[in-house]
């Protein structure tokens, strides 16, 4: 099993920045390889893919609306994944979820992940 705990959400004005963190733990997490990702869900909408990073960190993929503004990274020594969000817009408001799946390549759909965190709220005011 894998446990994921997000932190770093909050209220920010449009144009501001936030850095989300996701701490992973579990019996297998340190011994097997996992692809990590971030997804988000706004009220009344389906959960959508935001960003993903391969096990090595060499490959990253982003949803089109966040390209150039968000950066995903990981520190495998700390079992932590980050999402740096800059130039935030009101439409970025959502609950942001960290996700994981065994394997090495990026996963660009919420349906591809096996493990989820509880989510952290990000609210961007105009």
């Amino acid at each position: 099993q894998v446990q994921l705990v997000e932190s770093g959400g909050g209220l920010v004005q449009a144009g501001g920045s936030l850095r989300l963190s996701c701490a992973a733990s579990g019996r297998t997490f340190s011994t097997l390889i996992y692809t990590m990702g971030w997804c988000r869900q706004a009220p009344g909408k389906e959960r959508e893919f935001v960003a993903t990073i391969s096990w090595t960190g060499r490959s990253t993929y982003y949803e089109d609306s966040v390209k150039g503004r968000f950066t995903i990274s990981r520190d495998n020594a700390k079992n932590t994944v980050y999402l740096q969000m800059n130039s935030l817009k009101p439409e970025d408001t959502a609950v942001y979820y960290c996700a994981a799946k065994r394997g090495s390549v990026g996963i660009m759909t919420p349906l591809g992940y096996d493990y989820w965190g509880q989510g952290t709220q990000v609210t961007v005011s105009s």
Side-chain angles (χ1 to χ4, degrees), residues 54-75:
S54 62
W55 168 251
T56 62
R58 294 193 189 106
S59 295
T60 57
Y61 303 93
Y62 298 90
E63 192 269 329
D64 286 345
S65 70
V66 308
K67 286 180 181 177
R69 300 188 298 122
F70 290 11
T71 302
I72 189 172
S73 60
R74 68 189 297 167
D75 184 339

Side-chain angles (χ1 to χ4, degrees), residues 11-106:
L11 173 64
V12 64
Q13 289 188 333
S17 298
L18 283 175
R19 188 194 196 202
L20 305 183
S21 299
C22 172
S25 62
R27 186 172 58 87
T28 62
F29 195 84
S30 298
T31 57
L32 300 174
I33 59 175
Y34 286 87
T35 286
M36 303 296 294
W38 289 93
C39 297
R40 66 187 179 186
Q41 188 165 17
K45 295 187 177 181
E46 294 186 352
R47 192 169 298 188
E48 65 174 1
F49 163 77
V50 174
T52 185
I53 187 167
S54 62
W55 168 251
T56 62
R58 294 193 189 106
S59 295
T60 57
Y61 303 93
Y62 298 90
E63 192 269 329
D64 286 345
S65 70
V66 308
K67 286 180 181 177
R69 300 188 298 122
F70 290 11
T71 302
I72 189 172
S73 60
R74 68 189 297 167
D75 184 339
N76 288 342
K78 295 181 179 180
N79 290 343
T80 302
V81 178
Y82 306 97
L83 185 68
Q84 178 67 45
M85 306 185 295
N86 298 328
S87 301
L88 282 161
K89 303 175 181 180
E91 50 263 44
D92 294 318
T93 295
V95 177
Y96 283 70
Y97 296 91
C98 177
K101 180 178 175 64
R102 275 193 58 186
S104 60
V105 298

